[in-house]
Amino acid sequence: MEGGVDHLAPERNKSEFDVDAMKIVWAGSSHVLQVSERMARLVASDPVFRKDNRPMLGRKELFKNTLRKATYAWKRIIELRLNEEEASMLRSFVDEPAFTDLHWGMFVPAIKGQGTEDQQQKWLPLAQKMQIIGCYAQTELGHGSNVQGLETTATFDPKTDEFVIHSPTLTSSKWWPGGLGKVSTHAVVYARLITDGQDHGVNGFIVQLRSLDDHLPLPGITIGDIGMKFGNGAYNTMDNGVLRFDNVRIPRDQMLMRVSQVTREGKLVQSKVPRQLVYGTMVYVRQTIVADASVAMSRAVCIATRYSAVRRQFGSHNGGPETQVIDYKTQQARLFPLIASAYAFRFVGEWLKWLYMDVMQRLQASDFSTLPEAHACTAGLKSLTTSATADGIEECRKLCGGHGYLCSSGLPELFAVYVPTCTYEGDNVVLQLQVARHLMKTISQLGSGKKPIGTTAYIGRLEQLMQYRSDVQKAEDWLKPDVVLVAFEARAARKSAAVAQNLSKFSNPEEGFQELSADLAEAAVAHCQLIVVSKFIEKLQKDIPGKGVKQQLERLCSIYALFLLHKHLGDFLSTGCITPKQGNLANEQLRSLYSQVRPNAIALVDAFNYTDHYLGSVLGRYDGNVYQMLYDEAWKDPLNDSVVPDGYQEHIRPMLKQQLRNARL
Amino acid sequence: MEGGVDHLAPERNKSEFDVDAMKIVWAGSSHVLQVSERMARLVASDPVFRKDNRPMLGRKELFKNTLRKATYAWKRIIELRLNEEEASMLRSFVDEPAFTDLHWGMFVPAIKGQGTEDQQQKWLPLAQKMQIIGCYAQTELGHGSNVQGLETTATFDPKTDEFVIHSPTLTSSKWWPGGLGKVSTHAVVYARLITDGQDHGVNGFIVQLRSLDDHLPLPGITIGDIGMKFGNGAYNTMDNGVLRFDNVRIPRDQMLMRVSQVTREGKLVQSKVPRQLVYGTMVYVRQTIVADASVAMSRAVCIATRYSAVRRQFGSHNGGPETQVIDYKTQQARLFPLIASAYAFRFVGEWLKWLYMDVMQRLQASDFSTLPEAHACTAGLKSLTTSATADGIEECRKLCGGHGYLCSSGLPELFAVYVPTCTYEGDNVVLQLQVARHLMKTISQLGSGKKPIGTTAYIGRLEQLMQYRSDVQKAEDWLKPDVVLVAFEARAARKSAAVAQNLSKFSNPEEGFQELSADLAEAAVAHCQLIVVSKFIEKLQKDIPGKGVKQQLERLCSIYALFLLHKHLGDFLSTGCITPKQGNLANEQLRSLYSQVRPNAIALVDAFNYTDHYLGSVLGRYDGNVYQMLYDEAWKDPLNDSVVPDGYQEHIRPMLKQQLRNARL
Ligand SMILES: Cc1cc2nc3c(=O)[nH]c(=O)nc-3n(C[C@H](O)[C@H](O)[C@H](O)COP(=O)(O)OP(=O)(O)OC[C@H]3O[C@@H](n4cnc5c(N)ncnc54)[C@H](O)[C@@H]3O)c2cc1C
Ligand SMILES: Cc1cc2nc3c(=O)[nH]c(=O)nc-3n(C[C@H](O)[C@H](O)[C@H](O)COP(=O)(O)OP(=O)(O)OC[C@H]3O[C@@H](n4cnc5c(N)ncnc54)[C@H](O)[C@@H]3O)c2cc1C
């Protein structure tokens, strides 16, 4: 706590489990907990990293401030000789989108993943010392989801041994890359590779954009920022950019050539490195997005939970205190499933980290067998967790009533900065359809005896699952993990099987896929929810130390699953997995779980271990001292610089004094 | 169209109905259409009303600009001698929250509704000429939903014949009132009326806040702005304020005394005017909110629909154009129900206008019989339509992919300015529970023979509805209005009956209500959805001229209903209203309806008749010239004032040049 009275102490005293042990579970290990605590404190205690003024800053000021923070963070990383783990945590606690995200998160990995040994040796040291700053320039004004439709061209000129990078149309302008607009000196640019008049599809190229002397764009290059984005502060700290090429020449060896190469003569040759390797990068990036979803969701629920315990409204008896809004069942029914989701996403994210390592090991050994399943799984989980988190943040904002609408609550900015995650790295609906395609393929191959693996393994038991009827007889039966699991398996399997059957009625399968795509997307969601539920259950099969910790997690797991069951009751009933009576029992069990979680709610969000600086919310303060801080924050608004507002003389006074006709407005 | 090529002409040529006739249906009458067209053009053509720069302005500049627009609008209203209808339309097309909203929308109605004849004669002319500017100061830091818990006191002092207005605690600070922070000279302040040491609960008082000479707060009064709110531009044009009273004295006749009066001696007496009259104002305000929901929803879908027809992604054959994203079934399944919702909310809003008049006529005649039902109905519809609209706007933003995240798409600001509607004028969940209470009461009174009326009339047929089984046999059966209607009635009735039965198991009914409140809220939603569906169906029973117009609306009505049925399939199945097979048929019918609506989609949103100025969206432009405009807009960002950004020398260069140790950061 950061000094003063702890208004939430009574809540903390109520909790029935060891919060410190839960902190370790959340962090993943006591090592990670300890490092993250150290980094969080480092950031929180340094005035340069202040962020409460962000919503009030104009674009230029905001952006300059981000440059300052990013550079200062880098300076600290060097001074303190932080290792990679520490550095990346420090950056994440700075909590402000910046060009460095793309430099470290996309530019460097792209060179690692797609560059040859030589290219890596040339470019990585420069990037790692930040002697160059890079971004990832894929999306164009006209093409995002459909990467194969990109229009920028890279034409090989055998005369000079160069590629000519060109933007042939308006819609081929690069558009969106973060860090591009004002900062990056280099970019990995995706363009159609053309040799000898032949189009070989899209490939990556390292292109220098700005002079390293004066930062001016190089000849033939036009760059700018694409303008304001959603929200106050939020993603406006990032210079998402526009970029046009007018026949810009780069040496041949700046084509990323790990997979295919262009020879001096302009011949395209495939290397021995399998194309599939690029999927590894995708699995990696999406796994980090799932981990980030649990962070964003947990921040939002931490704010909403603490404030719901502070806020009182109605229900005073004989002049006593009113009811804490967290005691209202509607509030619980909205909030507690989101707490459960934060933990669920945390654990599935942990598992994805394992999956990524597994995939990479197999790739090294040229075993591509698990790749399609792993790829579909990460795509689906990216889609599921980010959509749920975006909606969850906004629900948390609404759970805070009017005060959640103030920037000082932290929730508006959290929402605005988070939502694009539903769109980038694969639009969530496009990803659902990819998952569905994989499911349909898996089902269609059952006949030929191909055994589904990994997260689709349950489809191998399709016949059995088609027979399944839940045997739940009383509410508590829904607490049994296997009861829940098989219900989710049956629902997912039957949803997929039903669409597959409808698909088979179409003579043109592609037409069928288009026509039934909304149903396909639903089947994909059912499948992905099953994954999250099953990984939560798996986590609970492991040893989890700490008094009461496992019990709390069991409750949250049940809440997560039964909340989904209630929300998608139509699925479970229409596929005949459960009866209406069993659905009611699940709902009954859910209510009782809410009551059990209630006394632990504050401790469950304390376990995220966020500093007040990181949370950035007056409503979510650790000490619950909400009202005084709300009041104090208000006066910092620029409008309060003067009692009588600028504009009174010109606009308000003439109106009041009925002197409008003569007023110059 | 505003000059140039119409990129959407092929879409417009496809449509199968008379768009001009639909414009009249949407507007309500050709008179309203004509006036609104005139006012919209007046605003759009005047550079003072420009709003595309809003997201880039700092708070002070933004606010001053709003003062300018509001005063200028008032000037134009006077100069052009606009009548009330015209003036209010002009204000709405200015499309910027301002103090005038509260002055006209809350302050004036409060005096009209709660002031005596004398008070009205004294204050209304001043307000109507804007010689005073008023706001509505109810909410406090500590109390919003629970108005009866307000802490501000108004203590009668018989010695001086005055009320002493006082803020006894920090949490009693008035907090949120729009127009309060910087502009209002007066407020209707809600405070606990205390006479002779006795607390009589909350009443309204007219309090002067600022000097009419120099605009300074009067002695004992502290006022400020409460700070930045969600989003760029958006509600930050409004000076939501904080207000504290230190024993401020006002004359006795500034208590609003239409219902209860305090005599010279300090005695509280009730007037003959019934208390219920205040509900009339609530019905009025919420009816306007429902109408506004249809406007906000229609703006968002207009943008998303037009852009979805312009945007192409994937599916090119032999180098031909790619597929318009509006042709993807997932896009249709997300978008078309929202178009249908816009129309549905329009018609239920129209009906609410009638309901308000009906209620007022009855009140004049001291007939209070319909009031509880009308009150519950408007509360429920406010809750339903605003929640759906807030979610719908964000869905429209996502439907636009990455570009929807840019402020120039108009959608971020539309969302941010709209969402508080879910919270003010009654938090949507609190309202759902009010509706549920009314439903439970209605059911409990069935036994005593009390016949449910109005929108609850179907509950009178409870026994019959409990027996109902849908007889749908083929997909087209779902197109029959009576088939849909009775399914929605049965579902709503059974949901309510089921909770009522569960409630009866509790010995303490209030405890039962708390425990089951999540279920109660669901029952309320089912009831409110039924109302919207039934009013849409009623609308279609009337004569609607224009080629193909009625047919389009019939399709939209079916889409609205079947989309809800699909979304809440669990309700329909678990209550046994329909079978899983019938649910599938509904879904099948929905798909076919989407295909039928597809060629008319653009024309259906053209019928809203919005100018490009009002829409304020590069993606939603009438002419579909999206890419050029996106590109041009980008360069207006302040960050593009210079090619090399401010901060390069201090922050970027030292990093690139490895000179951080010596850098002053
Ligand atoms: C904040 C932010 C940062 C970004 N950073 C970068 C960056 O650093 N580098 C970079 O290269 N890019 C970046 N992007 C771009 C991002 O990758 C794209 O926006 C994203 O890929 C989505 O593509 P789109 O915008 O073209 O959406 P679209 O594909 O145009 O989507 C529009 C609509 O069409 C639907 N749709 C599209 N295809 C199909 C289909 N086949 N079936 C059904 N529906 C379909 C979508 O679901 C959506 O509803 C960023 C974007 C944002 C918002
Ligand atoms: C943009 C904006 C403009 C406004 N303008 C004005 C204005 O001009 N004048 C004015 O006086 N006020 C104004 N308000 C205040 C507004 O009326 C209140 O915010 C609103 O009434 C909600 O109350 P609250 O904020 O206290 O929410 P709370 O009641 O504190 O809600 C917090 C949470 O508790 C839940 N909750 C509360 N009570 C119950 C219950 N009994 N059962 C179950 N759940 C419950 C809610 O659902 C919510 O999730 C404005 C607010 C905003 C955001």
Side-chain angles (χ1 to χ4, degrees):
Chain A
M1 244 219 343
E2 300 172 15
V5 183
D6 180 5
H7 296 261
L8 289 170
E11 287 291 334
R12 298 195 163 103
N13 292 335
K14 269 188 222 169
S15 92
E16 303 156 328
F17 69 97
D18 180 347
V19 184
D20 288 326
M22 187 68 92
K23 284 183 186 171
I24 296 173
V25 175
W26 177 263
S29 73
S30 49
H31 164 75
V32 175
L33 175 63
Q34 176 258 317
V35 178
S36 88
E37 230 171 51
R38 205 152 33 83
M39 291 304 118
R41 249 183 287 130
L42 201 72
V43 173
S45 62
D46 196 323
V48 173
F49 294 126
R50 175 181 169 193
K51 56 183 181 157
D52 58 323
N53 55 345
R54 225 162 25 194
M56 289 173 244
L57 300 180
R59 183 82 207 276
K60 275 185 182 173
E61 232 183 322
L62 180 71
F63 183 69
K64 186 172 179 184
N65 205 24
T66 303
L67 294 182
R68 177 166 178 244
K69 288 188 194 179
T71 304
Y72 181 73
W74 181 235
K75 186 172 180 239
R76 297 296 287 155
I77 287 166
I78 297 169
E79 282 172 355
L80 300 170
R81 298 170 179 278
L82 301 186
N83 63 27
E84 232 183 274
E85 181 187 31
E86 292 165 329
S88 101
M89 277 199 199
L90 182 134
R91 268 194 295 267
S92 83
F93 286 123
V94 171
D95 189 33
E96 194 156 299
F99 62 93
T100 40
D101 301 352
L102 285 300
H103 177 81
W104 295 110
M106 298 293 289
F107 181 71
V108 169
I111 296 176
K112 277 190 189 163
Q114 295 158 48
T116 61
E117 289 291 319
D118 284 354
Q119 289 176 319
Q120 297 193 28
Q121 267 179 29
K122 171 170 177 190
W123 295 100
L124 289 181
L126 292 170
Q128 265 145 359
K129 289 192 212 133
M130 299 214 78
Q131 291 176 286
I132 62 173
I133 301 172
C135 67
Y136 185 87
Q138 178 176 299
T139 306
E140 297 173 355
L141 198 44
H143 288 92
S145 298
N146 182 16
V147 177
Q148 296 314 319
L150 294 176
E151 299 176 81
T152 304
T153 50
T155 310
F156 183 63
D157 180 353
K159 281 191 237 101
T160 59
D161 198 20
E162 289 171 322
F163 287 105
V164 182
I165 314 282
H166 189 61
S167 312
T169 59
L170 177 72
T171 48
S172 74
S173 310
K174 291 293 170 189
W175 190 269
W176 272 120
L180 166 66
K182 293 288 148 182
V183 181
S184 293
T185 61
H186 290 65
V188 169
V189 171
Y190 290 84
R192 315 198 72 79
L193 169 61
I194 296 172
T195 62
D196 204 13
Q198 210 191 331
D199 184 331
H200 303 287
V202 174
N203 209 306
F205 300 82
I206 300 177
V207 184
Q208 179 169 355
L209 306 175
R210 287 183 170 91
S211 153
L212 291 171
D213 292 327
D214 57 12
H215 210 62
L216 284 173
L218 296 183
I221 289 179
T222 307
I223 323 185
D225 183 275
I226 59 170
M228 293 286 287
K229 288 146 290 187
F230 199 166
N232 329 71
Y235 231 93
N236 292 304
T237 58
M238 181 73 87
D239 53 330
N240 295 91
V242 44
L243 165 63
R244 292 185 60 105
F245 297 101
D246 181 6
N247 294 298
V248 172
R249 292 180 166 263
I250 59 168
R252 180 169 52 93
D253 68 3
Q254 285 179 212
M255 165 172 158
L256 289 171
M257 300 226 206
R258 186 157 180 206
V259 176
S260 14
Q261 285 141 21
V262 171
T263 64
R264 177 64 190 87
E265 296 73 38
K267 258 195 62 187
L268 185 72
V269 286
Q270 301 299 323
S271 77
K272 267 176 286 172
V273 178
R275 275 209 165 272
Q276 285 91 333
L277 261 187
V278 294
Y279 286 110
T281 319
M282 260 169 142
V283 172
Y284 173 76
V285 173
R286 287 179 184 159
Q287 162 252 309
T288 64
I289 293 183
V290 173
D292 290 348
S294 75
V295 174
M297 181 74 104
S298 60
R299 288 172 74 171
V301 297
C302 183
I303 297 168
T305 304
R306 287 181 181 160
Y307 179 64
S308 292
V310 171
R311 185 69 170 174
R312 293 171 180 274
Q313 209 75 197
F314 297 103
S316 160
H317 294 292
N318 314 318
E322 293 166 277
T323 306
Q324 292 166 283
V325 298
I326 198 175
D327 284 326
Y328 291 116
K329 267 271 141 50
T330 43
Q331 193 87 352
Q332 295 176 4
R334 295 156 71 199
L335 181 58
F336 292 174
L338 299 179
I339 300 183
S341 302
Y343 278 93
F345 297 169
R346 192 71 176 180
F347 299 141
V348 82
E350 224 169 51
W351 171 77
L352 271 183
K353 219 181 270 176
W354 170 85
L355 182 75
Y356 169 66
M357 311 243 267
D358 183 63
V359 164
M360 290 316 281
Q361 273 171 12
R362 288 172 191 267
L363 285 182
Q364 305 299 345
S366 291
D367 168 6
F368 308 122
S369 62
T370 65
L371 203 58
E373 187 266 323
H375 181 247
C377 164
T378 42
L381 289 174
K382 183 274 179 183
S383 172
L384 178 84
T385 58
T386 57
S387 286
T389 299
D391 293 349
I393 296 169
E394 171 61 8
E395 185 69 7
C396 285
R397 201 191 59 68
K398 292 207 181 89
L399 282 161
C400 296
H403 301 342
Y405 191 60
L406 284 170
C407 288
S408 59
S409 79
L411 291 164
E413 194 176 14
L414 196 56
F415 181 77
V417 82
Y418 190 77
V419 283
T421 321
C422 298
T423 305
Y424 61 54
E425 283 302 315
D427 170 273
N428 281 354
V429 173
V430 175
L431 292 180
Q432 284 171 359
L433 294 176
Q434 285 178 13
V435 175
R437 237 174 238 284
H438 180 70
L439 292 173
M440 292 307 107
K441 197 166 168 189
T442 305
I443 288 188
S444 74
Q445 293 176 337
L446 283 179
S448 62
K450 189 160 179 202
K451 240 183 114 182
I453 55 165
T455 56
T456 54
Y458 70 102
I459 295 179
R461 292 182 280 116
L462 185 60
E463 265 181 56
Q464 182 193 335
L465 289 171
M466 295 301 286
Q467 303 305 321
Y468 161 83
R469 297 267 171 286
S470 173
D471 55 4
V472 163
Q473 299 198 341
K474 49 188 198 307
E476 300 81 51
D477 288 344
W478 279 119
L479 296 176
K480 298 179 196 155
D482 49 337
V483 167
V484 165
L485 190 62
V486 67
F488 272 80
E489 285 178 342
R491 167 224 187 191
R494 291 184 197 183
K495 289 281 285 185
S496 282
V499 208
Q501 216 205 325
N502 281 342
L503 269 179
S504 67
K505 294 177 199 153
F506 287 79
S507 54
N508 177 339
E510 209 37 50
E511 221 167 73
F513 194 89
Q514 289 300 342
E515 179 65 19
L516 300 177
S517 62
D519 297 347
L520 283 157
E522 284 185 16
V525 168
H527 170 70
C528 296
Q529 289 177 344
L530 163 63
I531 302 177
V532 182
V533 168
S534 70
K535 295 305 158 192
F536 205 148
I537 290 175
E538 273 176 27
K539 171 84 187 177
L540 295 174
Q541 281 157 355
K542 293 178 199 149
D543 196 35
I544 301 178
K547 178 185 154 258
V549 169
K550 194 170 196 162
Q551 192 189 22
Q552 292 306 320
L553 294 175
E554 281 165 354
R555 286 175 182 162
L556 291 178
C557 181
S558 294
I559 287 180
Y560 182 71
L562 297 183
F563 154 76
L564 286 181
L565 187 146
H566 183 66
K567 186 172 164 194
H568 298 273
L569 189 59
D571 276 8
F572 287 87
L573 293 177
S574 68
T575 52
C577 297
I578 68 169
T579 63
K581 175 107 199 296
Q582 292 169 329
N584 287 338
L585 291 174
N587 204 25
E588 203 177 292
Q589 185 53 51
L590 205 45
R591 274 204 305 274
S592 126
L593 285 161
Y594 292 155
S595 303
Q596 291 164 33
V597 161
R598 165 66 189 91
N600 300 291
I602 296 297
L604 282 169
V605 303
D606 282 350
F608 305 143
N609 207 33
Y610 294 137
T611 61
D612 280 348
H613 171 274
Y614 186 59
L615 272 188
S617 168
V618 160
L619 303 185
R621 288 170 61 88
Y622 183 86
D623 67 5
N625 188 16
V626 165
Y627 294 115
Q628 188 63 54
M629 294 309 296
L630 265 175
Y631 192 80
D632 294 348
E633 275 305 307
W635 298 99
K636 297 181 188 161
D637 192 274
L639 269 193
N640 289 325
D641 289 352
S642 62
V643 177
V644 174
D646 186 17
Y648 165 70
Q649 291 296 344
E650 303 96 303
H651 308 303
I652 303 177
R653 192 178 164 83
M655 171 148 34
L656 290 169
K657 297 298 177 198
Q658 315 285 297
Q659 295 163 339
L660 280 189
R661 294 205 174 252
N662 350 350
R664 289 167 305 144
L665 286 165
Chain B
M1 244 219 345
E2 298 170 19
V5 183
D6 180 4
H7 297 261
L8 289 169
E11 288 291 334
R12 299 195 162 102
N13 292 335
K14 271 188 222 168
S15 93
E16 302 156 327
F17 69 97
D18 179 346
V19 184
D20 289 325
M22 187 67 93
K23 284 183 185 171
I24 297 173
V25 175
W26 177 264
S29 72
S30 49
H31 164 75
V32 175
L33 175 64
Q34 175 260 316
V35 177
S36 87
E37 232 171 48
R38 204 153 32 83
M39 291 303 119
R41 249 184 288 129
L42 201 71
V43 173
S45 62
D46 197 324
V48 173
F49 294 126
R50 175 183 169 192
K51 56 183 181 154
D52 58 324
N53 56 344
R54 223 160 30 192
M56 289 174 244
L57 300 179
R59 183 83 206 278
K60 275 184 180 173
E61 232 183 320
L62 181 70
F63 182 69
K64 187 172 179 184
N65 205 25
T66 303
L67 294 182
R68 177 165 177 244
K69 288 189 195 179
T71 306
Y72 180 73
W74 181 235
K75 187 171 180 240
R76 296 296 286 154
I77 287 167
I78 296 168
E79 283 172 354
L80 300 170
R81 299 170 179 278
L82 302 186
N83 62 26
E84 233 181 274
E85 182 187 31
E86 293 165 327
S88 101
M89 276 198 200
L90 182 134
R91 269 195 294 269
S92 82
F93 285 122
V94 171
D95 188 35
E96 192 156 300
F99 63 93
T100 39
D101 300 351
L102 284 301
H103 177 82
W104 295 111
M106 298 294 288
F107 181 71
V108 168
I111 295 175
K112 276 190 188 162
Q114 297 159 49
T116 60
E117 288 290 322
D118 284 355
Q119 290 176 318
Q120 297 192 30
Q121 267 179 28
K122 172 168 177 192
W123 295 99
L124 288 182
L126 291 170
Q128 265 145 359
K129 289 193 212 131
M130 299 216 77
Q131 293 176 286
I132 62 174
I133 301 171
C135 67
Y136 185 86
Q138 178 176 299
T139 306
E140 298 173 355
L141 199 44
H143 287 92
S145 297
N146 180 17
V147 178
Q148 295 314 318
L150 294 176
E151 298 177 80
T152 303
T153 51
T155 311
F156 183 63
D157 180 353
K159 283 191 234 99
T160 59
D161 198 20
E162 289 170 323
F163 286 106
V164 183
I165 314 283
H166 189 60
S167 311
T169 59
L170 176 73
T171 48
S172 74
S173 310
K174 291 293 172 190
W175 190 269
W176 272 119
L180 166 64
K182 293 288 147 184
V183 181
S184 293
T185 60
H186 290 66
V188 169
V189 172
Y190 289 84
R192 315 198 72 79
L193 168 62
I194 296 172
T195 62
D196 205 13
Q198 211 190 329
D199 184 331
H200 303 285
V202 174
N203 209 306
F205 300 82
I206 300 176
V207 184
Q208 181 171 353
L209 305 174
R210 287 184 170 91
S211 153
L212 291 172
D213 292 329
D214 58 11
H215 210 63
L216 285 173
L218 297 183
I221 289 180
T222 307
I223 323 186
D225 183 274
I226 59 170
M228 292 286 285
K229 288 146 289 185
F230 199 165
N232 328 71
Y235 230 92
N236 292 303
T237 57
M238 181 72 89
D239 54 331
N240 294 92
V242 44
L243 165 63
R244 292 185 60 106
F245 297 103
D246 181 7
N247 293 297
V248 172
R249 291 180 166 265
I250 59 167
R252 180 168 54 93
D253 68 3
Q254 286 179 212
M255 166 172 157
L256 289 171
M257 300 226 208
R258 186 157 181 205
V259 176
S260 16
Q261 286 140 21
V262 170
T263 65
R264 177 64 191 89
E265 295 74 36
K267 258 195 60 187
L268 184 72
V269 287
Q270 302 299 324
S271 78
K272 266 176 287 175
V273 178
R275 272 207 167 275
Q276 285 91 334
L277 260 186
V278 294
Y279 286 109
T281 318
M282 258 167 143
V283 171
Y284 172 75
V285 173
R286 287 180 184 159
Q287 164 251 308
T288 63
I289 292 183
V290 173
D292 290 347
S294 75
V295 173
M297 181 74 104
S298 59
R299 288 172 73 170
V301 296
C302 182
I303 296 168
T305 304
R306 287 181 182 162
Y307 179 64
S308 293
V310 171
R311 185 69 170 174
R312 293 172 180 271
Q313 208 74 196
F314 297 103
S316 159
H317 293 292
N318 313 322
E322 293 166 277
T323 306
Q324 292 166 284
V325 298
I326 198 173
D327 283 327
Y328 291 115
K329 268 270 140 51
T330 44
Q331 193 86 351
Q332 295 176 3
R334 296 155 72 198
L335 181 58
F336 293 173
L338 299 178
I339 300 183
S341 302
Y343 278 92
F345 298 169
R346 191 71 177 181
F347 299 140
V348 81
E350 221 169 55
W351 171 76
L352 271 183
K353 220 181 269 177
W354 169 87
L355 182 75
Y356 169 66
M357 311 244 266
D358 182 65
V359 163
M360 291 315 282
Q361 271 171 12
R362 287 171 191 269
L363 285 181
Q364 305 300 346
S366 291
D367 168 6
F368 307 124
S369 62
T370 64
L371 204 55
E373 187 267 323
H375 182 246
C377 165
T378 42
L381 289 174
K382 183 272 180 187
S383 173
L384 178 85
T385 57
T386 56
S387 285
T389 299
D391 293 349
I393 296 169
E394 171 60 9
E395 185 69 8
C396 285
R397 200 190 59 67
K398 292 206 181 90
L399 282 162
C400 296
H403 302 342
Y405 191 59
L406 283 170
C407 288
S408 58
S409 79
L411 291 163
E413 192 175 16
L414 196 56
F415 181 77
V417 81
Y418 190 77
V419 283
T421 321
C422 297
T423 306
Y424 62 54
E425 283 303 314
D427 170 274
N428 280 354
V429 172
V430 174
L431 292 180
Q432 283 170 359
L433 294 175
Q434 285 179 14
V435 174
R437 237 175 239 284
H438 180 70
L439 292 174
M440 293 306 108
K441 198 167 168 188
T442 305
I443 287 188
S444 74
Q445 291 176 339
L446 283 179
S448 62
K450 188 158 179 205
K451 239 184 116 185
I453 55 165
T455 56
T456 55
Y458 69 103
I459 296 179
R461 291 182 281 115
L462 185 60
E463 265 181 57
Q464 182 193 335
L465 289 171
M466 296 301 285
Q467 304 305 321
Y468 161 84
R469 296 267 171 286
S470 173
D471 55 4
V472 163
Q473 300 198 339
K474 50 187 197 309
E476 300 79 54
D477 288 345
W478 279 118
L479 296 176
K480 297 179 198 155
D482 49 336
V483 167
V484 166
L485 190 61
V486 66
F488 272 80
E489 285 179 340
R491 166 225 187 188
R494 291 183 197 184
K495 289 281 283 184
S496 282
V499 209
Q501 218 207 324
N502 281 342
L503 269 179
S504 68
K505 294 177 195 154
F506 288 79
S507 53
N508 178 337
E510 210 36 52
E511 223 167 70
F513 194 89
Q514 289 301 342
E515 179 63 19
L516 300 177
S517 61
D519 298 346
L520 283 156
E522 284 184 16
V525 168
H527 171 70
C528 295
Q529 289 177 345
L530 163 63
I531 301 177
V532 181
V533 169
S534 70
K535 294 306 159 192
F536 205 149
I537 290 175
E538 273 176 28
K539 172 83 188 176
L540 294 175
Q541 281 157 355
K542 291 177 201 152
D543 196 35
I544 301 178
K547 175 182 156 265
V549 169
K550 193 168 198 165
Q551 192 189 21
Q552 291 306 320
L553 294 175
E554 281 165 352
R555 286 174 183 163
L556 291 178
C557 180
S558 293
I559 287 180
Y560 182 71
L562 297 183
F563 155 77
L564 286 181
L565 187 146
H566 183 66
K567 185 172 166 194
H568 298 272
L569 188 60
D571 277 8
F572 287 87
L573 293 177
S574 69
T575 52
C577 297
I578 69 169
T579 64
K581 174 108 202 293
Q582 291 169 330
N584 287 338
L585 291 174
N587 204 25
E588 203 177 292
Q589 186 54 53
L590 205 45
R591 273 204 304 274
S592 126
L593 284 161
Y594 293 155
S595 303
Q596 291 164 32
V597 162
R598 166 64 189 91
N600 299 290
I602 296 297
L604 282 169
V605 303
D606 282 350
F608 306 143
N609 206 32
Y610 295 137
T611 60
D612 281 347
H613 172 272
Y614 186 60
L615 271 188
S617 168
V618 161
L619 304 185
R621 290 170 59 89
Y622 183 86
D623 66 6
N625 188 14
V626 165
Y627 294 115
Q628 188 63 53
M629 295 309 296
L630 264 174
Y631 192 81
D632 294 348
E633 275 304 307
W635 298 100
K636 297 182 188 161
D637 191 275
L639 269 192
N640 289 327
D641 289 352
S642 62
V643 177
V644 174
D646 187 17
Y648 166 70
Q649 292 296 343
E650 304 97 302
H651 307 303
I652 302 177
R653 192 178 164 84
M655 172 149 30
L656 290 169
K657 297 297 176 196
Q658 315 284 297
Q659 296 162 337
L660 281 187
R661 296 210 171 249
N662 349 350
R664 289 167 304 147
L665 287 167

